Amino acid sequence: MTQTAFHTICMLLLVSLQEAKMCTHSMPVPTDGPVCTASETAQYKLTFFGKWTRAAFPKQYPVYRPPAQWSNLIGVTHSSDYHMWQRNAFASNGVREFAEKGEAWTLMKEVEAAGERIQSVYGVLSAPAVVGGTGQTNTEFEVYAKHSYLSFIVHLVPSPDWFVGVESFDLCDGDHWKDNVLLELFPYDAGTDSGFTFSSPNFETMPQDKITQITSSSPSHPANSFYYPRLKHLPPIAKVMLTKIRKNNQIISLLVDPTQSNQLTGNEIEDTVINTPLDCEVSVWSPWGLCKSKCGDSGVQHRTRYVIMHSANSGLACPLLEEERKCLQDNCL
């Protein structure tokens, strides 16, 4: 989907949602969380930062066809009774298509339906794709008391059905709006494709699994592109900064502790470079070869293995790739 087409869909849907609110303004919005009593609406700037680097994620890092990058960001502001996606719940058809292909048509239809149902969705937001594993993109949006929650999703490209995002984050704190929020983002598996690696071919998960967070040890399979058994936690693969905008359209200044590793300067985040150690991976041993010797003498036979993945960032070096042992000739005349 092109940037222009994506933007057009979002604009049409936003108009549709505004018309629906005009027709159903008196309908109640159910809540199951803290009640926001902020009297005014609030304007926010959302800045998404891609942190998908080869140093932080060296295993099978995609460098071509296509290289590591991010899809468009698509999100909504909504009430507490709506969920674009939820951890440990099944992905909708719209989330499935977006997580697998970055296609937003079905997801937009789902958002539109939710907007017409007791005003669950207030607005739609989108931001352009980040063409590369690192980089940033941003957008602005509005929230108000009855629709103080933010959800969004961004597809990892390439990947089977992996994404990052925020689910039902409340920007309201009692009677006022939060000024600045910085959230670390980690990869999720939509549970619809069974591929282990970034470039895995399409292999539908039957039956469908629930949405789960991908960790350094789960899925527990050596082929998994995010499998780093020596790490307790994966480093964040992306971050998002939510900044409240003043009425005069000036972004609130950020007060940052200089001892912290994340330095917020204007609209950028400077991080300490993360170098994730990647251990060397080797194949299983081949069968032992023929015993090489003269009849009556002890001989030597060999077996070998090969490197599947070389070490990186001070990971464990490759072990020996060849072994030998003494042997005696069989069937010697």
Side-chain angles (χ1 to χ4, degrees), residues 240-286:
V240 65
M241 184 165 66
L242 304 167
T243 308
K244 186 183 174 186
I245 302 174
R246 292 186 186 277
K247 291 300 181 181
N248 60 3
N249 211 36
Q250 295 296 312
I251 297 175
I252 293 174
S253 61
L254 302 175
L255 301 178
V256 182
D257 183 348
T259 63
Q260 298 297 315
S261 61
N262 290 337
Q263 301 293 315
L264 307 189
T265 308
N267 295 330
E268 297 181 348
I269 298 179
E270 298 297 334
D271 288 315
T272 300
V273 176
I274 299 173
N275 293 303
T276 301
L278 179 64
D279 298 339
C280 176
E281 294 183 16
V282 296
S283 68
V284 297
W285 287 108
S286 68

Side-chain angles (χ1 to χ4, degrees), residues 2 32 73 78 107 109 117 122 138 142 154 160 167-169 203 206 209 217-218 238 256 260 275 303 314 316:
T2 64
D32 54 11
L73 178 150
H78 57 90
L107 184 57
K109 288 292 185 182
R117 178 175 55 87
Y122 175 69
N138 59 73
E142 185 179 55
V154 186
E167 199 281 312
S168 296
F169 182 81
F203 184 61
M206 294 291 291
D209 286 336
S217 58
S218 178
V256 182
Q260 298 297 315
N275 293 303
R303 66 175 182 176
S314 301
L316 295 179

Side-chain angles (χ1 to χ4, degrees), residues 90 96 190-194 203-210:
F90 291 108
R96 174 188 188 132
T192 62
D193 192 294
S194 296
F203 184 61
E204 185 177 358
T205 301
M206 294 291 291
Q208 181 176 337
D209 286 336
K210 294 181 179 179

